[in-house]
C-alpha cells in the first residue's frame, strides 16, 4: 500500500493499457503496462482491470484523480467522452467525462478525443500526445505528424489543433502484407532503401496507378525474381508515397515534427527530406504522460 | 460410359474447376462444376480430381484431348505452362504444356498464361476468355476490360494482346470490407448510386488522398451517421475511381468492351459512361469455352 501517489495517469488504447502512479514531485513513482486494451473489455470490466493494475498505489483514505485518454472514451469504452471539435486546444480535465467509480478512491476523468466535421475525421489518444508536445513547446507553429496504423497529420498554431487528416497507410500495409495475393512477395524482415526511395517517387508522381503497382509486386517476383526485401520496401514506399502526395498541403513549406516509433519516424523523415521538406523527429516516448500531466494540472487552475 | 465426347474443355482456377465434355457437333454434351480449385490441390491430385469429375464421359478405347486453362498451369499447379510474352496472340494448343497422364484416355494440354515484362504483369485464364472473344469478333480493335478480384485492362489489335495492366481493386475492396477498421461502416447488402458516382469523381480528381478518404468512411459514420449503404458504395467508388484514373491510357478515346459478372460489368460501365467513354458489355458466360474451343481447333490445323 502506497501513500506517495498524488494522481494516476492512464493511456488506454484499443490493444494496450499503460498507467503511471504519479507522486507529488510530478514524477512517476510506478509504471504499469498491460495487454488488456479497450477492444477486449466490456464497460463493466474497466474499473476492476484498472484496480487490479494500480490498486497497490492508491491511498488508504481519500481519493486520487485518475486521468485517462484514448479509446477508453469511445462509445464502446468505459464511458463515452464526446469529441471536442477542431479547431480547438487539446481537451483538458475540465472537458473530461467524469465517471463515478464503485471504489471511492478513484476520481475518474476520461479525456475527449478531437473531431473534425469536414473532411470527417477523428482522433482519440493522439490529442494527448499533441498536448504533451505543446506543453513542452508552447510556441510551436507547424505540423505534427504521428505515424502509425492510422497516421495523423495535424496543423498546430497558437496551441490549437487547427485541422488534421488521418491516413490509414499503416493498416493498408498490414492488410496487404498478411492477407493479400502479394503476401508471399513481401514476406521478409529485410529491407531495401533504394527500392523504398524509388517507390516513394513513383507513387508521388503517379498515385492513380497504386492498385496496378501493387499487383506488379507479385508479377515482378514471378517474372524478374525480385526479392522480398525489395518488394516489401517498395510496398511500403508505394503506400507512403501515396500518403505524402495526399498530405502535401500539410507538409509543403511547413515545419514538420514526427512523433512515433523510431523506425517509422525515420522512414517518414527520409521520405520528407527527399522532398525537400523540413522534417525532424521528436522524442515521443514521454509525450502521452506529459499530455496527461497537462490535463491534471488544468484541474487545479482557478476557474475563470 | 459415353462415346459422344470428342474432347474435354477445362477451366481450372484457384478456387473453382469447370469442365465440359464436348461432342462432335462442337456443343457441350455435359457440363461439370466443382469447388476443387487449384489452390487446394497438390500436383498429384489433379488427374484423379479430373477423372472423378468427367470419367464417365471418356471413351472406352483411345484417348481424347483435354484442353485446360487457368491456374492449373501455374508453378504450383498440375504442371507449369510457361507464359507467352505480350505482344502475342492468346496461346493455342501448340504452345500448350503437354502432360503425360497415368490414364491413357487423357491427352492433356495446359494452355500458357500471358506475361508482360514492363510493367511487370501476368494473367492466367483471362487470355482464354480473350481468345474466345476474338474468335467471335475477329476484327475487334480496342480495349477488353475483365473486372474481378484482379481486373485486367487489355489492348487488343490485329487479334493480338498488345499490352495489359492488372489492378487489384476487387481484392482491396474485399480486404477493406472484411478485415479493416471500416468493416462495420460498410456492412450491408445495400447500395447507394449517388454515393458511388460522387466517390468515382472524387477519386479520379484526387487519387492521392485515398488512404484518408478511406478513414473518412469510419469518421463519417461516427460524426454524420452516414449509413452503410452510402459508405459501401463510396468505398467501391473510391477504389474504382482510383483504378479508372490509373487506367485512363487504356480507355480514353478507345472502344471498351467489359467481360465479367453482370453486376461488376454494370458498375464499370456506368462509371465509364459518366466519363464519356465508349463502354459496352459482352456476354462473357461462354467465352472461356469459346477460347478453349479455339485452342482445340488450332490442334487440327495443318502445321505451317
Amino acid at each position: 500500500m502506497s501513500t506517495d501517489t498524488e494522481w494516476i495517469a492512464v493511456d488506454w488504447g484499443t490493444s494496450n493499457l499503460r498507467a503511471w502512479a504519479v507522486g507529488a514531485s510530478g514524477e512517476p513513482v510506478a509504471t504499469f503496462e498491460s495487454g488488456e486494451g479497450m477492444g477486449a473489455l466490456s464497460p463493466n470490466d474497466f474499473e476492476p482491470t484498472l484496480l487490479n493494475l494500480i490498486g497497490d498505489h492508491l491511498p488508504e483514505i481519500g481519493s486520487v484523480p485518475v486521468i485517462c485518454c484514448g479509446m477508453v472514451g469511445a462509445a464502446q469504452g468505459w464511458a463515452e467522452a464526446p469529441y471536442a471539435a477542431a479547431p480547438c486546444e487539446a481537451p483538458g480535465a475540465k472537458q473530461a467525462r467524469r465517471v463515478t467509480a464503485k471504489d471511492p478512491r478513484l476520481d475518474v476523468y476520461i479525456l475527449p478525443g478531437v473531431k473534425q466535421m469536414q473532411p470527417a475525421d477523428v482522433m482519440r489518444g493522439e490529442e494527448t500526445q499533441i498536448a504533451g508536445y505543446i506543453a513542452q513547446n508552447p510556441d510551436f507553429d507547424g505540423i505534427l505528424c504521428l505515424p502509425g496504423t492510422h497516421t495523423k497529420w495535424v496543423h498546430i498554431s497558437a496551441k490549437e489543433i487547427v485541422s488534421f487528416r488521418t491516413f490509414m497507410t499503416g493498416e493498408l500495409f498490414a492488410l496487404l502484407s498478411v492477407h493479400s495475393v502479394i503476401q508471399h512477395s513481401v514476406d521478409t524482415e529485410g529491407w531495401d532503401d533504394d527500392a523504398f526511395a524509388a517507390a516513394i517517387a513513383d507513387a508521388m508522381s503517379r498515385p492513380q496507378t497504386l492498385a496496378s503497382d501493387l499487383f506488379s509486386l507479385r508479377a515482378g517476383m514471378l517474372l524478374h525474381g525480385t526479392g522480398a526485401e525489395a518488394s516489401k520496401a517498395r510496398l511500403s514506399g508505394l503506400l507512403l508515397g501515396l500518403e505524402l502526395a495526399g498530405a502535401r498541403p500539410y507538409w509543403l513549406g511547413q515545419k514538420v515534427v514526427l512523433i512515433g516509433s523510431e523506425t517509422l519516424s525515420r522512414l517518414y523523415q527520409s521520405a520528407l527530406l527527399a522532398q525537400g521538406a523540413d522534417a525532424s523527429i521528436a522524442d515521443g516516448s514521454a509525450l502521452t504522460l506529459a499530455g496527461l500531466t497537462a490535463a491534471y494540472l488544468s484541474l487545479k487552475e482557478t476557474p475563470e
Side-chain angles (χ1 to χ4, degrees), chain A:
Chain A
M1 195 70 68
S2 166
T3 55
D4 297 341
T5 304
E6 185 170 302
W7 64 287
I8 306 281
V10 181
D11 174 19
W12 211 324
T14 302
S15 313
N16 290 290
L17 163 60
R18 289 191 301 164
W20 300 263
V22 186
S25 70
E27 295 297 316
V29 295
T31 300
F32 311 90
E33 288 201 44
S34 155
E36 291 166 295
M38 158 276 187
L41 300 177
S42 297
N44 289 331
D45 298 335
F46 286 86
E47 184 174 335
T49 300
L50 184 63
L51 280 171
N52 187 46
L53 203 64
I54 57 98
D56 287 349
H57 288 268
L58 293 176
E60 289 185 61
I61 305 167
S63 70
V64 292
V66 178
I67 314 286
C68 308
C69 71
M71 290 300 285
V72 64
Q76 298 79 27
W78 191 346
E80 185 169 7
Y83 297 103
C88 63
E89 289 194 23
K94 283 170 185 160
Q95 289 87 52
R97 169 76 185 267
R98 298 288 292 273
V99 176
T100 305
K102 295 195 181 94
D103 189 313
R105 297 172 298 172
L106 301 177
D107 185 14
V108 178
Y109 297 77
I110 301 180
L111 295 174
V114 175
K115 68 182 175 186
Q116 174 176 278
M117 298 308 279
Q118 277 306 337
D121 216 326
V122 291
M123 65 171 77
R124 274 200 192 276
E126 292 91 347
E127 76 293 330
T128 303
Q129 288 178 277
I130 292 166
Y133 186 82
I134 291 173
Q136 295 174 357
N137 304 274
D139 297 327
F140 180 76
D141 196 307
I143 303 300
L144 295 180
C145 174
L146 293 80
T149 304
H150 298 153
T151 296
K152 310 284 180 190
W153 291 84
V154 189
H155 179 196
I156 304 292
S157 186
K159 298 187 182 180
E160 282 200 341
I161 295 171
V162 179
S163 70
F164 65 103
R165 288 302 334 248
T166 304
F167 290 74
M168 47 190 283
T169 303
E171 184 165 1
L172 285 171
F173 181 81
L175 287 174
L176 289 161
S177 300
V178 175
H179 293 294
S180 85
V181 70
I182 60 175
Q183 60 180 291
H184 302 300
S185 310
V186 300
D187 185 14
T188 177
E189 295 299 308
W191 188 255
D192 181 325
D193 281 328
D194 292 341
F196 176 72
I200 295 268
D202 287 350
M204 291 192 73
S205 61
R206 295 191 314 275
Q208 68 274 17
T209 58
L210 178 75
S212 53
D213 292 337
L214 293 176
F215 190 79
S216 276
L217 294 174
R218 175 163 170 76
M221 182 185 72
L222 291 171
L223 301 182
H224 302 302
T226 307
E229 292 77 11
S231 295
K232 180 185 168 187
R234 184 165 174 82
L235 170 61
S236 176
L238 288 172
L239 294 171
L240 181 51
L242 183 74
E243 174 177 330
L244 292 185
R248 200 188 302 262
Y250 276 84
W251 55 260
L252 192 67
Q254 292 277 354
K255 177 181 172 60
V256 178
V257 174
L258 293 154
I259 298 174
S261 79
E262 188 178 340
T263 305
L264 215 45
S265 294
R266 288 201 176 169
L267 281 184
Y268 273 72
Q269 185 185 37
S270 74
L272 284 163
L273 293 177
Q275 295 299 320
D278 172 5
S280 58
I281 296 177
D283 176 5
S285 57
L287 290 182
T288 300
L289 180 55
L292 289 165
T293 300
Y296 169 69
L297 295 175
S298 74
L299 261 187
K300 301 181 163 183
E301 288 166 8
T302 313
E304 288 168 31

